[in-house]
Amino acid sequence: MKKFLAAAMISASFFITGCGGQMQIGCVDGTRIMNESAQIKSVMDEAKQKIEEVEKQAQDELAKNPNWTDEEKMKAQGDIQRKVIGINQAYATQLKHKFDEALAEIAKTKNLDVVVDSSKDNPIILKGGVDVTDEVLQKLK
């Protein structure tokens, strides 16, 4: 699906720029960004800490209430799951925003029409393109 979307974006860009236009394609290794960016790691560590806090609070609550019925335990587990999902969504949004902001600034500076993911585990672009991974990492220090 990801490859289809990238191909559609590139095709649309050709249509918009016209057949004779020069289109600039950039690529970024999203996996490398996730693994090497200090800002990204910081946000992920903070999210992990928040989740651990929620789980610790849940364990404490369960320990304080050993006589809970199965129904009460299931309700507590559902509450914990909702909290964890909420934390994950909030931090995923924050990560996406940081990444998108850095990438947009670099794409504008380099006059790139399209930027696609070139992660080694699931590349969209196989040859060519301007690799902006290092610049994104610089922005996310």
Side-chain angles (χ1 to χ4, degrees), residues 1-13 114-116 124:
M1 182 66 169
K2 193 164 110 176
K3 289 182 181 184
F4 173 76
L5 290 174
M9 287 175 24
I10 292 170
S11 296
S13 295
V114 176
V115 179
V116 294
I124 294 216

Side-chain angles (χ1 to χ4, degrees), residues 50-109:
K50 294 281 186 191
I51 289 170
E52 287 172 355
E53 288 173 10
V54 167
E55 290 172 346
K56 173 85 171 89
Q57 289 172 351
Q59 288 174 352
D60 291 347
E61 191 173 331
L62 286 172
K64 289 178 189 175
N65 299 296
N67 298 326
W68 271 1
T69 64
D70 287 343
E71 186 177 311
E72 290 170 320
K73 288 177 186 177
M74 287 180 64
K75 182 185 179 309
Q77 287 176 333
D79 291 343
I80 293 164
Q81 287 177 339
R82 280 187 289 283
K83 286 179 185 178
V84 168
I85 289 169
I87 290 168
N88 280 329
Q89 287 175 340
Y91 281 95
T93 300
Q94 187 177 349
L95 288 172
K96 182 173 177 359
H97 177 72
K98 285 182 179 293
F99 180 78
D100 288 350
E101 192 174 83
L103 189 58
E105 189 175 322
I106 291 163
K108 183 177 179 181
T109 302

Side-chain angles (χ1 to χ4, degrees), residues 32-42 137 140-141:
R32 190 170 151 217
I33 300 295
M34 295 300 287
N35 292 331
E36 295 180 22
S37 168
Q39 276 190 43
I40 300 295
K41 283 182 183 180
S42 174
L137 283 169
L140 294 173
K141 278 194 174 184

